[in-house]
């Protein structure tokens, strides 16, 4: 997991976009009717500025690139622990400026675009429950094997 904090990747702005799908039905002499089809795409964009002497730097962006290349969805939580959903990294942009003689940046501005991929909050909790059950079964199996080898 990646924790957004001062020493890794503190962001200054968070933009959340939620889309909702509607279909129009044409009618003669009046406005089209609208039918709600369901929830559409949801994305979150985090923007910020890094000062490597004080906050995270190029290593933090590199860690996020590694996570993105893994192709997995990760939960996004607020500082209060509220679950936004399961997100994948759609894009990461870093602009390095105020370069030193050795090429290291004194300032890195970044934009991180995340896309929600779960169906619903209940689907997330179902997946988390399954994951915990698998971990529990695995640990129980290992404890039984260890206990059997000791006896």
């Amino acid at each position: 997991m990646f924790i957004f904090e001062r020493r890794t990747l503190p962001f200054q702005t968070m933009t959340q976009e939620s889309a909702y799908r509607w279909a129009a039905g044409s009618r003669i002499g009046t406005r089209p009717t609208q039918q709600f089809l369901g929830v559409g795409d949801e994305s979150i964009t985090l923007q910020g500025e890094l000062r490597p002497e004080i906050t995270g730097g190029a290593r933090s962006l590199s860690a996020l690139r590694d996570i993105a290349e893994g192709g997995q969805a990760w939960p996004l939580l607020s500082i209060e622990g509220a679950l936004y959903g399961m997100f994948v990294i759609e894009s990461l942009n870093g602009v390095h400026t105020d370069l030193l003689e050795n090429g290291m940046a004194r300032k890195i501005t970044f934009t991180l675009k995340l896309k929600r991929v779960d169906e619903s909050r209940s689907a997330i909790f179902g997946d988390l429950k399954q994951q915990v059950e698998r971990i529990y079964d695995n640990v129980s199996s290992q404890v039984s094997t260890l206990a059997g080898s000791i006896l």
Side-chain angles (χ1 to χ4, degrees), residues 15-119:
T15 306
Q16 188 172 8
E17 183 178 331
S18 300
Y20 303 93
R21 298 177 299 130
W22 290 85
S26 295
R27 298 189 299 184
I28 297 173
T30 186
R31 289 189 182 109
T33 61
Q34 300 292 321
Q35 181 178 1
F36 182 64
L37 298 178
V39 179
D41 286 337
E42 184 175 337
S43 64
I44 289 181
T45 302
L46 304 176
Q47 294 179 310
E49 179 180 289
L50 303 174
R51 298 289 181 155
E53 306 89 26
I54 303 168
T55 62
R59 284 190 206 140
S60 295
L61 294 178
S62 179
L64 280 176
R65 283 190 179 89
D66 290 343
I67 291 170
E69 289 171 9
Q72 291 185 313
W74 292 92
L76 182 62
L77 303 166
S78 73
I79 193 73
E80 297 89 21
L83 178 64
Y84 288 105
M86 298 294 286
F87 285 81
V88 295
I89 297 175
E90 197 168 38
S91 67
L92 175 61
N93 181 26
V95 178
H96 300 242
T97 56
D98 297 341
L99 302 178
L100 299 172
E101 290 177 7
N102 63 2
M104 293 197 49
R106 296 182 72 200
K107 176 180 162 186
I108 303 169
T109 55
F110 68 90
T111 303
L112 175 65
K113 292 185 181 179
L114 306 170
K115 186 171 196 168
R116 187 169 176 184
V117 293
D118 60 89
E119 292 178 24

